[in-house]
Amino acid sequence: MFVALLKNGETCSLLDDWTVEQLHVLRATQSFFCPVCFRRVQLKIGKKRMSHFAHETKCTIETERETFAHLQGKQQLYEWLMNENIEAEVEKYLPHIQQRPDVFVRHEKKMYAVEYQCSVIPSSLFVKRTNAYVNAHIVPIWLLHSSHMRRFGLFFQLSSFSWLFFNCYEMIPFYCPQRREVSFLHHLIPLSKTITYGEWTTIPLDTMSFSFFQQAPQRKHDALFDAWQMKKKQWRLSPLYYRTNRAFCRIVYEAHMTPSLFPHEAGIPLRHSYWFETPPFVWQTYMLLEMMNIPPHLTFSFHQLYERMQYFIRQNLIHIRRLPLMTKSHYSYALMDYLHALVSLRLLKKVGKSTFQRIRSWSLPHNMEEAIRGDEQLLRRIVSKKEDFFTKRE
């Protein structure tokens, strides 16, 4: 940490302009104490690491050892905010919630807690900290070290921990202290529990406005459909998806289908599908099976289908992703997205605000060649209608 108390009660901040010689004198003449637990801390002055205070014993709210990257990033974010003339305090202790954000910010009559996370912490602790800020009317802004993301062309690998940082602006902010860059991973459409399609926007910290943390980045390109076609082909051709999901195989076999020849209308990219760890072709096949059980032209409601989805969730056939920062959305939004997509494909007809009718049957391929060709044709139909899967749905 950068802030400690002196014996006389004054605050000592290492973010002030100290020389190495001054720090050695300070360490030789002063005692330092944690502003939270009031236990003694040591002033560490090193050539390889940044100067910082370290506890001799564990602090009451310390949960992890600070790395060089964390100290460096915290300092850079604080100095950036100060240069932007934004009121900021590093490591300010908030006694009413017993938390100490990396940087506490007051800006335009709002309070913010900027948390820069480099190491993995339990999801329960992440949720606890977040809820404490929200209950105290403090807006949490979580940034993740860029090392927690791996990129493979248009696809990204994210752990369950990284997904915790997905916020209500539908993005994950990253920070790299070595390059002094903030990056936003946005417009995410997951393909599995860990692999997702997305777009990556990078902004040098010194040219960025604080407001960037509170607005969704713009889409930059339309590579989604090419990427999706490639991935859907992999779903069909890879036996791994079916060897590891026996429940899916059992259900589709009972419906007299071959697992790799699932309907063309399953596996459609949707804006809110980030809620699902289950691959899109799996959960959408389940929903199609439910709709095929409803006679054509018989009206059914969104809530009927939603109840069936909840059944699949309770049976652990569909897995929901934990997104504690996503407070303005719900996994039911993805289901409504899907129904609207099926209306666009003329499988369903919308007859009311939340009621639908099935007007035809699904498209089941008979062989792999037909499956791949039909998938491409279906995606082309979607593109030709200029269907925007990122448009907000009612």
Side-chain angles (χ1 to χ4, degrees), residues 137-285:
H137 306 290
I138 299 170
V139 180
I141 297 177
W142 287 91
L143 290 88
L144 188 57
H145 191 280
S146 55
S147 62
H148 287 269
M149 186 280 304
R150 295 181 63 190
R151 184 171 186 173
F152 305 94
L154 295 172
F155 302 111
F156 299 83
Q157 184 175 20
L158 296 173
S159 66
S160 297
F161 175 71
S162 299
W163 271 105
L164 294 175
F165 293 73
F166 187 74
N167 60 37
C168 61
Y169 301 100
E170 299 183 347
M171 64 183 183
I172 302 177
F174 293 85
Y175 183 63
C176 178
Q178 289 77 24
R179 296 192 294 269
R180 296 179 64 91
E181 292 177 343
V182 178
S183 298
F184 300 95
L185 184 56
H186 53 98
H187 289 96
L188 301 184
I189 305 184
L191 302 153
S192 66
K193 183 176 180 179
T194 58
I195 302 298
T196 182
Y197 167 85
E199 297 189 12
W200 182 258
T201 298
T202 297
I203 305 172
L205 180 64
D206 295 335
T207 65
M208 199 183 86
S209 167
F210 184 68
S211 63
F212 277 50
F213 287 121
Q214 296 180 286
Q215 60 188 36
Q218 297 293 318
R219 293 181 68 186
K220 295 186 296 183
H221 50 73
D222 291 316
L224 167 63
F225 296 101
D226 290 336
W228 203 266
Q229 174 64 20
M230 176 184 70
K231 195 62 184 179
K232 198 167 182 181
K233 184 176 180 179
Q234 291 178 0
W235 283 331
R236 293 198 184 276
L237 294 175
S238 174
L240 178 64
Y241 289 107
Y242 313 110
R243 290 175 184 167
T244 58
N245 197 332
R246 294 181 180 179
F248 175 75
C249 292
R250 174 179 57 80
I251 291 172
V252 298
Y253 278 135
E254 289 175 355
H256 308 290
M257 293 165 47
T258 302
S260 60
L261 300 178
F262 55 85
H264 295 298
E265 293 87 356
I268 293 176
L270 305 168
R271 174 186 175 182
H272 294 99
S273 60
Y274 50 70
W275 278 106
F276 295 100
E277 292 183 349
T278 304
F281 79 93
V282 173
W283 73 261
Q284 290 177 22
T285 295

Side-chain angles (χ1 to χ4, degrees), residues 81-132:
L81 289 164
M82 296 300 290
N83 289 335
E84 293 288 309
N85 294 317
I86 294 176
E87 183 182 349
E89 295 180 65
V90 67
E91 299 171 356
K92 178 181 175 64
Y93 180 57
L94 307 174
H96 56 301
I97 58 173
Q98 295 185 322
Q99 295 199 169
R100 186 178 58 194
D102 289 331
V103 186
F104 180 75
V105 178
R106 293 183 184 272
H107 182 57
E108 295 182 350
K109 299 181 180 180
K110 288 186 178 181
M111 297 180 293
Y112 301 86
V114 178
E115 292 279 19
Y116 177 48
Q117 197 64 36
C118 295
S119 58
V120 175
I121 60 175
S123 59
S124 58
L125 180 58
F126 182 97
V127 173
K128 179 182 177 182
R129 289 182 182 177
T130 297
N131 290 343

Side-chain angles (χ1 to χ4, degrees), residues 40 67 80 90 138 140 152 195 198 239 274 278 336 340 351 380:
R40 188 182 293 273
T67 63
W80 162 66
V90 67
I138 299 170
F152 305 94
I195 302 298
Y274 50 70
T278 304
M336 184 61 87
H340 278 97
V351 294
R380 287 182 186 277

